[in-house]
Structure formats: C-alpha cells, structure tokens
Amino acid sequence: MSTSATQPAVSLLSGAEQRSAARQLTLAMLALGLLGLGLVWRWLLPTQIGVSHLLLGVASLLVAIPVMRSAWYSLRYPSLHGITDQLIALAMLGAWATGDLLTAALLPIIMIFGHVLEERSVIGSQEAIHALGKLTRSQARLFQADGSLLEVDNATLKSGDEVEVRAGDRVPADGVVLTGQASLDTASITGESVPLEVSSGMPIFGGAINLDGLLRVQVTRTGEESTLGKVIALMQNAERAKPPITRLLERYAGGYMVLVLMIAAVTWFTTNDAQAMLAVLVAACPCALVLSAPATAIAGIAVAARHGILIRSSAFLEELADLTSLVVDKTGTLTYGTLRLLAIETDVAEQQPLLQLAASLGAASSHPVSRALAAVVSHEQMLTLNDVRERQGLGVVATTERGEAALGRPELLSQLGICTTSVPEHDGPIAGLSLNGNFLGWLLLADSIKPEARQALSELRELGLGRQVLLTGDRQSVAEQLAHTVGISEVQAQALPEDKLDRVLSEIDNGFRPMVVGDGINDSLALKAGVVGVAMGAGGADIALASSDIVLIGSDLRRLGTCVRLSRECRHTLQVNVIIGLGWTLAIVAGAAFGWLGAAGAMIAAVLHNLSTLLVLGNAGRLLRFHEPLVALKPPGA
C-alpha cells in the first residue's frame, strides 16, 4: 500500500518511514503464515472448517490494519497513490461481505509485497543522492598558525582556512590551489572520467580525489555553499518536483475512481460474480501508470548527475526535448571569462625574458590585465622589484635588477616619454612594456574562447536548435568576431540585463522555444524567462545558479547536447511506460470484467498488476545505461 510515508519518488525514507514499512512487511509475513496454516488445516481436517475460517479471518484482519489506515489517509489527502489504497480497501471489504476470507487475506498480502518491491526499486535510484551526500564528510589536514598540521572534520572548516591535500586524500572543500601540482579525479562531481590537472592558482571542487602530488589549498566555500553541497541540494529539489504528466493524471483522479466503481458495479450486475467484481477493483489500481513518470524522472536525474548535469526540476526533462533555439551569453559561457595573453608584438628575438619582466610587473598590481600577465610565468621565475609605483588606471613602474621598467597602457608610456611603435588594432586590452626607457613591445590580451564551444553549438544545430543568438554586453566588434568563430549568425551586443530579458521574451513571442545559457548576474533575468535556463556551474554567479533550471557543474558546453539527447531518451521511455501502465491496466480490467481471469480473478489481477509495475520500473532502469563520455580537449595554447 502507498501511505503517507511510502509515496515513491519523494525522498529517501526516514527512520520512522522505514519502521512503518517494516511493520507492514512483518504483518504481511504473519498473515501469510496464518493463511498457509488455515489452508493446510482445511486440507487435513475438512470437517473442522470453522478453525480454518478463524485462521483466515485473523490473517485478513492483520493485513487490514495498514490497508484501512492507508485508505483513510488517502480520503483526507487525495492523491494518485490514494486511488490504489481505496480500491484495495474496497476489494477487501467486498471479499469480507461475500464471505471470501481467502481473497480478503491473500489480496492485500500480494499488494503489500508488490509495493515493497516497487519502493525498493525507486529508492535504489535515489541512493545515488545518499551516496553523494557522504562525499561531503571527510577529514582535513588544517594548517595551524605555527605551520603545524591538525586533522579536523571538514565540517569545521571555514573560508580562508588553508589545508594540505595529499595523494589519495579527498579534497575537503572548495578552494584555490596555493602551491603544488596534482591530478584530481572529479568524476563524482563533474562526471568527467579524465583526471583534471591542477596547479597553483586554479580552483578545485570539494569531493574530488587527489590521485598524485601534494597540494596546499585555501578554502573558499564549505558545506551547503560548496559545489558538492549545491549538487545534493539541487538533486533533492529535482526529485520532489512533479512532471507535467503526473499533474495531468492527478487532475482526473476523482473521475477515474468513479469510472472504476461504475465498471465494477456493472460487472457484478451482469455476471452476478463477486470474484469478477473484486478483480475489476484490483486490476484498476493505477500503480504502473502512476509510477511511469516518477521512475523515469528519477532515473533521468540520476544519469544527468553522473554526467555533471544538475536538473532542478524533472519537468525540464520534457521541456528540453522540444527546444528550437539557443540564446547564449559570451563572457564566462562561450569564453573563459578571464583575460589571457593572446599575442606579443615585438622585435625582441628572445621572448622569455620579456614575459618574465611583464609577469613580475603584473604581479605588483591588482588590475585584471596585470593579474593576467602575472600568470604567464611561475612565481619562482619572477624578478625582485623595488620602488614600485602604480599609476592608477595606467600601469606600473618599478626598479628591477635590469633597470627601470614600465608596464601599462599606451598613455603611460607616452607620459614617460618612451617612443613606441604604432598601437596595433586589437579588440581587447593592450599593454606596452619598456625597460630603461626603451620600448620592448605590445602585449595583446583577450578573453579566450572555450575549445569545445564550436563543437557544442554545431551539435545543438544538428539536434534542432538551428536558430542561435549571441547575447552579450560586450562591444559589437568583439561579439561579431566570436560569433563568426563559433558559427553563430545573429548577434546582439552591448545588451543590458533588461535587454537580454526582452530578447528572450521576443523569441518566445515569435514562436521559438529558447534554451538560455549564461553565468553572470546580468543573465539571471534571461535565464528565468527562457523555456529552459542553463547556468555554468564552475564560477557561475549564485543568482544565476538560483535562476536557472539546469546547472552544468563542469561548465563544458558539450553537455548541452547531452542534456537534449538525455531528455529525448527520457521522453521516449516515459511514453513507453505510459503505454505499459495504461494498456496493461485496461487489458486486466477488461479480462476481469468479462470473467476471463477465472475463479481466483482477484488474486490473478493482483499478480498481473504487480508485474506491470515491475515492467515500468525495469523500463525506466534502462535509462541508467545512458552514457556519453567526453573526449579530452587540448588546453588553450597547446
């Protein structure tokens, strides 16, 4: 029976719910023992039929307790599962009224065992969430003020703490690598089977496993605020959501109950066969139909999480299948969102000393351009600087062992009286470098396109999202150049948050069903307005994650195609499940109404009912074999 405590597809059972299920199973086992004893007694001592009836009566009363309690609860709080509870209770009362104590005892026993199997099948899918939750708890080696290490529970860590992660350790929280180099297994979080190579300055996820090397990590986010914490929260929210088909079935639940009662009454009136009437009530239990959507959704959500895709609501498994357009942000979505050195224009033959000088000066400033240049060489290679003078908004001047050096905008070099070559044409920041009054060259920086961007957008076009719009707050020239590179034909640049919202609403008004992909605060309105909003999980703004329907934890754009393909596979599985649930139910009801199930019609109907439910669960389980590994991409500049 489905009680308030045993409705599938909601969450893992609590201790009280597990005890309730255990009591039901225990009562069913006791009733089965008494029923068997009653049948043996009837066979061995047919003259003492009263004892046999007593044993069967006690057996039916034992299982009547959970049956009647579930039916009463379903009357107070109507639901789809409540229809099953009510029909089984009616069938049991009908069996008592006709004096069929064997049916009154055996029928609920069969249904209890069937529902226990269903429950375990659904919970089996949900255990992925429970297992993921265990990854949030681990030990951490915390650096003390005196440099010593103290082993603590990672739940006690806070932002700013520094921890040591050795080979074989699990990263205790989200953080940034301060020193060291290692390979991390992030499969439990991003779904990637290829280890992630990390080094100083790179962000890492809590829950990843250090395969080799030694890391010193500064903690940035812990607990529910960490990436893994958000993964678990999103999965739990997603499995609570009701797919559209479930809401549709609930709308007509009352009418379905009336129809079943009418069919049962007509069957009894025309056949005068109580077994046929009871069989109709049992056969009409819509468990398989009710479970078709939740079982498919839970399997789809579990598979998506395995691929690093977090679906906040199972409804979007269906919405994804019918998308026709793509509205995508640029910075942080199609690009990395951070400046990188793109090219050097110089007459100097040996560029390594030039890069070393630029990185040393860049490390002395907090400007984004300076920080980007500081990353081109390791900290150990940097020069010692003296008399550092930062010119606000212009650049840095400092004394080095090679002489006085300057790094900054063309205006800085002009103010210093340094003769330069003409400033190159470039859509992005430009920094000039000089040493001892001599111009060395121009450093051209830009936000790099993600290497998978072109392939990902091409896949989406093949999947039917042929209309693609680049929507960005950046300059027109920069946006058009990027759009040409990745194969997008339509561009709207210099867009404010309200402009992005208006464009998405315009797409919908024109008959398109857009997928909106972004990562920033300025994308949150557009993400909420799209048919499906997808946020980049790595580095995405919290408000963007909250406004989205789907989160890509690894931020690999190729997972957009995985989303669509998985959604279409889920929809096909759901359609098959609905056909099984509805078709099988109608077939059993027809067989019961026409008396084709024989003298033990109610019991046969119960067995066939449970078989259809297991078929639905098995078909949904096939989704768990869905797997799309990603080919490792070459890093930028490789």
Side-chain angles (χ1 to χ4, degrees), residues 355-367:
L355 290 174
Q356 188 179 23
L357 179 61
S360 303
L361 291 167
S365 171
S366 59
H367 193 277

Side-chain angles (χ1 to χ4, degrees), residues 83 142 461 557 601:
I83 293 177
L142 176 66
R461 284 191 288 271
L557 291 167

Side-chain angles (χ1 to χ4, degrees), residues 114-147:
H115 283 299
V116 167
L117 288 174
E118 296 165 18
E119 201 168 72
R120 291 307 307 164
S121 299
V122 173
I123 292 174
S125 298
Q126 296 174 327
E127 284 175 349
I129 301 174
H130 185 61
L132 197 59
K134 291 180 179 178
L135 299 182
T136 61
R137 301 304 302 269
S138 64
Q139 295 298 108
R141 296 183 181 88
L142 176 66
F143 280 100
Q144 302 294 292
D146 59 0

